[in-house]
Amino acid sequence: MSQTHFGFQQVDESQKAQRVRGVFDSVASKYDVMNDLMSMGLHRAWKAYTVAVAHVRDGDRVLDIAGGTGDLARAFAKQVGTRGTVVHTDINEAMLRQGRDRALDEGLVLPTALCDAETLPFAAAEFDLVSVAFGLRNMTHKERALAEMNRVLRPGGRLLVLEFSKVAAPLEKAYDWYSFKVLPRIGQLVAGDADSYRYLAESIRMHPGQAELKAMMKTAGFGHVDVHNLSAGVVALHVGIKC
Ligand SMILES: C[S@@+](CC[C@H](N)C(=O)[O-])C[C@H]1O[C@@H](n2cnc3c(N)ncnc32)[C@H](O)[C@@H]1O
């Protein structure tokens, strides 16, 4: 049986999705408040930047993968108009339910699918734009997921991957201290769960950096990939064009 990483631990590949599910089942109800606290509100700016770069137009067909509580899906839904579609998807039912409730609170009813990014239940070339925010690093076979994202995009369509990345060297020490000392404590105090936030910090360190992810996207069929570093590389937005 092949091994993979779950944070800093080595686990059987077959166990990773289940362990990740445990993390998001545990944090779903506190996910949004924790996001604001941990990033000091910055996740809103990173997502707003992503939405601006996406430049979604009236009538576009958009797929949000690992959409969780739906920040991107809701923003895109306001831009595609009545002729367009935004499909909100995630592998975790608890996260999708939170997302559905938040969308309903804003008067939005979005088509929703509970699905694994590694085997998407959509036809080839069905979407103009695919987005995945802070989801890719949790996936067991990232290459498989990226290939699926490529398959469901039309030629010329774009994939936007917003994800934690490799921070600039002068900030590494401070970032490590914050990630490994402060984050789990906030997780314990607010969500009663230090372990899930320890996993968050570890999974960020195990995720490919800017150049490696760009290469993976090219291998998956994105002929052109741009990388936008945000907050000194704490986060990066990779934009791939299927061409
Ligand atoms: C950190 S949350 C991000 C949620 C949202 N996109 C955001 O930016 O706030 C990561 C999400 O990835 C989802 N996820 C993890 N593995 C997945 C997979 N293989 N397929 C689809 N979603 C997955 C989790 O269930 C979780 O909701």
Side-chain angles (χ1 to χ4, degrees):
M1 193 70 73
S2 300
Q3 296 271 299
T4 188
H5 50 82
F6 172 77
F8 290 164
Q9 295 172 40
Q10 283 294 309
V11 297
D12 235 46
E13 270 193 357
S14 61
Q15 287 173 3
K16 175 156 172 171
Q18 202 183 335
R19 300 281 299 268
V20 170
R21 183 172 310 130
V23 167
F24 289 102
D25 279 344
S26 164
V27 304
S29 63
K30 291 280 191 310
Y31 180 82
D32 288 324
V33 69
M34 279 299 291
N35 252 359
D36 276 334
L37 277 174
M38 289 181 315
S39 72
M40 293 170 264
L42 273 174
H43 78 103
R44 292 171 185 260
W46 298 328
K47 287 170 181 163
Y49 182 81
T50 303
V51 171
V53 169
H55 198 63
V56 163
R57 282 174 300 201
D58 189 63
D60 275 353
R61 298 156 303 164
V62 178
L63 173 65
D64 188 34
I65 292 178
T69 55
D71 287 345
L72 286 187
R74 290 196 312 283
F76 291 142
K78 290 169 189 162
Q79 298 179 328
V80 296
T82 48
R83 292 186 313 116
T85 337
V86 178
V87 185
H88 175 218
T89 70
D90 199 286
I91 201 172
N92 186 295
E93 194 176 334
M95 293 292 283
L96 269 186
R97 281 180 192 279
Q98 296 286 332
R100 178 202 54 192
D101 292 351
R102 288 206 56 190
L104 286 175
D105 287 347
E106 292 182 22
L108 297 166
V109 180
L110 304 181
T112 297
L114 184 68
C115 61
D116 187 341
E118 296 181 22
T119 48
L120 291 171
F122 303 104
E126 204 171 318
F127 296 98
D128 300 299
L129 185 117
V130 171
S131 58
V132 55
F134 305 111
L136 187 65
R137 72 174 190 286
N138 299 296
M139 296 171 192
T140 310
H141 306 100
K142 295 173 185 50
E143 292 85 355
R144 207 176 286 169
L146 290 170
E148 276 292 88
M149 296 174 202
N150 186 272
R151 180 184 67 77
V152 300
L153 273 171
R154 66 162 169 80
R158 286 169 305 143
L159 168 65
L160 271 66
V161 182
L162 180 67
E163 189 53 272
F164 292 104
S165 203
K166 189 149 176 47
V167 71
L171 296 182
E172 263 173 16
K173 273 203 172 139
Y175 187 51
D176 277 352
W177 171 80
Y178 180 73
S179 306
F180 293 108
K181 300 286 184 214
V182 180
L183 274 190
R185 285 191 191 170
I186 304 179
Q188 185 59 46
L189 278 173
V190 179
D193 178 357
D195 286 347
S196 293
Y197 291 92
R198 204 165 288 119
Y199 162 75
L200 168 72
E202 292 179 2
S203 66
I204 291 170
R205 298 309 183 283
M206 299 306 287
H207 189 64
Q210 288 85 339
E212 199 183 338
L213 179 55
K214 178 175 178 171
M216 286 169 72
M217 287 173 68
K218 288 205 155 191
T219 306
F222 295 92
H224 182 86
V225 180
D226 279 329
V227 183
H228 307 228
N229 273 317
L230 305 176
S231 305
V234 168
V235 164
L237 173 65
H238 285 66
V239 182
I241 303 178
K242 178 173 176 175
C243 53

